[in-house]
Amino acid sequence: MVLKTGGYQNLVSTTDPRQAGTIFHACEPDLIILDLHMPCLSGVEVLQDLTAASAGTYLPVIVLTGDVTSESKRRVLGMGAKDFLNKPFDSTEVLLRIKNLLISRVLYKELKRHNETLEQRVHARTRQLAEAQLEILNHLAVVSEYQDDDTGQHTQRIGALAAALARSLGQTEQQVKLIRLAAPLHDIGKVGVPNHILLKSGNLMPSEFEIMQSHTAVGGEIFAKSRFPLLQLARQIALYHHERWDGLGYPQKLRGEQIPVAARIVAIVDAFDALTHGRPYKKAVSFQAARSEIRLQAGSQFDPEIVKVFLNKVTQQIFQEIAGGAETIHEADIEALAVVCDASPEAKAMDEAAAASQS
């Protein structure tokens, strides 16, 4: 009666505390007035259930009781009640307290909507940045192989094959996605190698081979100062994909498991793809001949365990399917990169700056 007198009309009430949960879920109230002393269930038990049901949100609960002890007040306020009224209560006071709590509820809901809108905008912006970054990465990969393969298909095959092999090795899906994006940049350092060496049809002179080898160090240097996980992985791959399992590779003569696993993966798929596809300075070999060469180099050039997985995984049909599906940009790649961007310190700083500008 007091509430109707105060102009409140969207009211639902019950004298049976066992119905409180059902009413709560059906009506999604903005405020609850709860008596502590009721039959069947106490107000404390109902308050516990309501607090659990409304976890993570702001739901004002006013407790009515004739028990005015400090212990009772502390108990219910500590359980989540927002206000406490003694019986008998003053109607004017009740209406004022209800009004104040409803204003708080409205402000909470407005703030929640604002934060959700801001979060959606940040997510959309992050995705746009991820899409732009992915396009740049694809262009960089094409540039690195432009003299050998101006279609860019080699770099994309490397990404697809490396991801398939990483997945077969039990890498996490996030690691697989990162390798898928980073592997095409394995030869980015070739931008520092003169064309007359890159495209030479005969054997390289020792001095020329030394310059050719420098592409790994150049690639590592390009990404050396990056703080992004994707580009840090790209650095590892670019720098170490010509290391050998037996320690006779370059640039640092790492041996065995000293070589990062992503670089060991890319070393195999890069060699396999190079064998099966012709270049201006060499002819392609058959799929089976390429498999035989990879098997032959297990334990010397390549990680023998990864070679086993590679030979079991990459059948001719799978290789053709992967090669045929090596498109420039995948929707999954954009989402993967957006997740990486979201997790980066720079993205967190952007979120904080955006929130501050809206406050």
Side-chain angles (χ1 to χ4, degrees):
M1 195 68 180
V2 171
L3 296 176
K4 288 184 178 179
T5 302
Y8 297 104
Q9 309 210 351
N10 189 14
L11 307 172
V12 178
S13 64
T14 181
T15 57
D16 185 350
R18 293 170 297 184
Q19 296 181 2
T22 302
I23 293 173
F24 170 80
H25 291 293
C27 301
E28 298 183 356
D30 288 313
L31 182 140
I32 295 174
I33 300 175
L34 177 66
D35 198 325
L36 280 187
H37 300 289
M38 296 179 292
C40 302
L41 286 175
S42 71
V44 170
E45 292 174 299
V46 175
L47 181 59
Q48 286 177 326
D49 293 340
L50 292 175
T51 300
S54 61
T57 187
Y58 173 78
L59 177 64
V61 177
I62 297 177
V63 171
L64 300 179
T65 183
D67 186 352
V68 295
T69 63
S70 297
E71 181 181 351
S72 295
K73 290 183 179 181
R74 284 195 299 268
R75 185 181 184 190
V76 296
L77 291 174
M79 292 174 60
K82 297 298 184 287
D83 208 344
F84 197 101
L85 289 173
N86 297 325
K87 297 178 183 177
F89 50 80
D90 179 77
S91 298
T92 302
E93 181 183 1
V94 170
L95 292 174
L96 286 173
R97 294 198 182 194
I98 287 174
K99 179 181 178 181
N100 289 338
L101 286 174
L102 285 175
I103 290 173
S104 298
R105 170 72 171 175
V106 169
L107 291 174
Y108 166 80
K109 291 169 76 173
E110 286 292 332
L111 180 60
K112 184 179 179 182
R113 279 195 293 268
H114 173 77
N115 288 339
E116 288 172 351
T117 300
L118 181 60
E119 185 177 343
Q120 290 170 358
R121 289 176 180 173
V122 170
H123 178 74
R125 181 59 177 160
T126 299
R127 194 184 186 286
Q128 290 173 355
L129 289 173
E131 189 169 356
Q133 290 176 12
L134 183 57
E135 187 170 334
I136 291 170
L137 292 176
N138 274 282
H139 287 315
L140 283 175
V142 171
V143 167
S144 71
E145 294 284 344
Y146 188 75
Q147 297 299 330
D148 285 347
D149 176 23
D150 59 7
T151 67
Q153 288 300 300
H154 167 67
T155 58
Q156 296 307 315
R157 287 193 302 269
I158 295 305
L161 281 169
L165 182 52
R167 186 176 287 109
S168 297
L169 288 166
Q171 298 277 300
T172 67
E173 197 57 32
Q174 184 63 17
Q175 290 170 324
V176 169
K177 290 174 180 178
L178 284 176
I179 289 175
R180 165 74 181 83
L181 297 172
L185 298 166
H186 64 290
D187 275 340
I188 188 66
K190 284 184 176 179
V191 297
V193 178
N195 287 344
H196 74 272
I197 295 177
L198 279 176
L199 302 178
K200 186 174 180 178
S201 57
N203 293 332
L204 295 176
M205 299 291 289
S207 59
E208 293 173 328
F209 187 61
E210 186 176 347
I211 294 173
M212 176 65 82
Q213 287 181 323
S214 71
H215 83 276
T216 55
V218 172
E221 185 62 27
I222 288 173
F223 299 122
K225 296 181 180 180
S226 177
R227 292 173 290 178
F228 288 92
L230 172 60
L231 298 184
Q232 290 171 347
L233 181 61
R235 177 184 180 273
Q236 280 189 0
I237 293 171
L239 184 57
Y240 299 124
H241 73 285
H242 279 294
E243 299 287 358
R244 292 172 54 102
W245 186 254
D246 58 14
L248 299 178
Y250 60 90
Q252 297 180 12
K253 296 189 181 303
L254 301 182
R255 178 188 295 271
E257 293 185 357
Q258 291 177 330
I259 308 166
V261 65
R264 283 181 265 154
I265 289 171
V266 172
I268 294 172
V269 299
D270 183 35
F272 185 82
D273 192 77
L275 287 167
T276 53
H277 291 81
R279 297 291 179 90
Y281 46 84
K282 73 172 188 66
K283 293 182 179 180
V285 303
S286 69
F287 178 83
Q288 290 303 329
R291 282 173 59 89
S292 297
E293 180 62 21
I294 296 296
R295 184 182 292 109
L296 181 65
Q297 297 299 327
S300 54
Q301 184 175 353
F302 306 125
D303 181 332
E305 294 303 317
I306 296 181
V307 168
K308 284 182 185 178
V309 175
F310 175 79
L311 294 175
N312 287 332
K313 169 68 178 177
V314 182
T315 64
Q316 188 160 10
Q317 179 181 352
I318 289 175
F319 177 66
Q320 290 173 344
E321 288 175 355
I322 288 175
E327 300 164 356
T328 302
I329 294 179
H330 294 259
E331 181 69 18
D333 294 340
I334 297 172
E335 292 299 326
L337 188 53
V339 169
V340 173
C341 291
D342 258 340
S344 70
E346 288 80 1
K348 291 178 181 177
M350 286 173 58
D351 288 353
E352 291 170 1
S357 69
Q358 296 293 328
S359 61

